[in-house]
């Protein structure tokens, strides 16, 4: 299920950064590093400005990262998608028909093997591979799982983006505002 029609998915940490994408063609953005008291306002502001927000559940301070918190986010906050490293969050998002993105940190072969097993259990809509600057891993994860892959982490240059896309990434999550501008 491919839904992203943009090469870059801005990763945002502040309301000021969120406001920078309001006048862009970006439909989706990822919000990282939120305090629980900010979540509803951020989602409301984004939606008022025609943007779809993906919340990184693991990075919401003051919120336990479990299926109950996930259900709360889905019912009360209504994000357009959830990102997490936690299988219980991904499973709950799937149950509630909310876009799910399983985040993987691929540090070595053991991490890759465990991640593949996790993907087979959770069946996320997308996989986010970190670091995203290793094209062979993007290709391998996509081939093994059959899932669309987003690349994130350490993507700093135009050539990093292009190599990840050539390896089969469906999109790039980045907080690099120069790349936002270049691909907008």
């Amino acid at each position: 299920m491919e839904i992203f029609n943009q090469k870059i998915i801005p990763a945002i940490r502040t309301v000021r950064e969120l406001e920078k994408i309001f006048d862009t063609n970006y439909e989706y953005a990822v919000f990282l590093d939120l305090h629980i008291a900010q979540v509803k306002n951020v989602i409301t502001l984004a939606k008022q400005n025609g943007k779809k927000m993906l919340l990184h559940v693991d990075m919401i301070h003051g919120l336990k990262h479990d299926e109950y918190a996930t259900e709360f986010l889905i019912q009360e906050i209504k994000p357009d998608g959830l990102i997490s490293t936690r299988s219980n969050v991904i499973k709950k998002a799937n149950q509630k028909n909310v876009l799910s993105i399983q985040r993987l940190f691929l540090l070595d072969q053991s991490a890759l093997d465990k991640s593949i097993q996790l993907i087979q259990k959770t069946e996320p809509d997308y996989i986010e591979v970190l670091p995203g600057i290793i094209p062979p891993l993007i290709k391998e994860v996509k081939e093994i799982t059959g899932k669309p892959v987003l690349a994130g982490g350490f993507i700093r240059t135009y050539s990093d983006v292009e190599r990840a896309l050539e390896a089969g990434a469906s999109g790039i999550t980045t907080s690099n505002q120069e790349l936002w501008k270049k691909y907008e």
Side-chain angles (χ1 to χ4, degrees):
M1 167 173 100
E2 296 265 354
I3 64 159
F4 297 111
N5 60 359
Q6 59 195 63
K7 290 180 180 179
I8 296 291
I9 301 157
I12 296 165
R13 285 191 164 81
T14 66
V15 173
R16 188 168 282 144
E17 288 178 357
L18 175 63
E19 290 171 345
K20 287 182 180 183
I21 68 159
F22 289 161
D23 293 326
T24 70
N25 293 325
Y26 289 119
E27 179 181 14
Y28 284 90
V30 176
F31 215 109
L32 307 170
D33 204 27
L34 277 169
H35 183 281
I36 190 169
Q38 298 172 299
V39 177
K40 188 154 184 90
N41 291 336
V42 163
I43 296 295
T44 300
L45 182 61
K47 288 183 183 209
Q48 287 170 347
N49 285 277
K51 303 301 175 187
K52 295 181 179 177
M53 294 305 300
L54 309 170
L55 288 178
H56 192 307
V57 176
D58 305 355
M59 297 177 82
I60 299 175
H61 305 288
L63 186 71
K64 190 172 179 183
H65 313 122
D66 63 12
E67 61 273 8
Y68 301 108
T70 305
E71 194 158 340
F72 166 78
L73 288 171
I74 292 167
Q75 290 178 359
E76 298 298 319
I77 308 299
K78 298 177 177 37
D80 295 288
L82 298 175
I83 300 173
S84 182
T85 59
R86 302 177 192 296
S87 60
N88 56 349
V89 170
I90 298 303
K91 286 180 180 178
K92 182 56 75 172
N94 289 344
Q95 281 178 350
K96 299 294 184 179
N97 295 316
V98 171
L99 179 70
S100 63
I101 302 170
Q102 179 83 52
R103 189 176 234 202
L104 307 178
F105 293 99
L106 300 180
L107 306 172
D108 57 20
Q109 186 63 47
S110 177
L112 175 61
D113 295 342
K114 288 177 184 172
S115 294
I116 298 301
Q117 291 172 358
L118 179 67
I119 295 303
Q120 292 168 343
K121 290 179 186 173
T122 60
E123 289 293 320
D125 297 310
Y126 279 80
I127 300 165
E128 184 184 27
V129 171
L130 286 94
I133 56 169
I134 308 173
L137 286 179
I138 294 167
K139 184 177 182 179
E140 185 175 348
V141 168
K142 185 174 181 176
E143 287 175 356
I144 291 172
T145 65
K147 299 283 182 186
V149 173
L150 302 174
F154 289 111
I155 296 188
R156 298 176 178 156
T157 66
Y158 171 79
S159 66
D160 292 339
V161 171
E162 292 303 310
R163 282 194 299 272
L165 293 170
E166 287 170 12
S170 297
I172 310 300
T173 58
T174 183
S175 56
N176 183 321
Q177 293 182 29
E178 292 303 313
L179 293 174
W180 298 359
K181 292 175 191 172
K182 183 160 185 70
Y183 285 90
E184 198 254 317

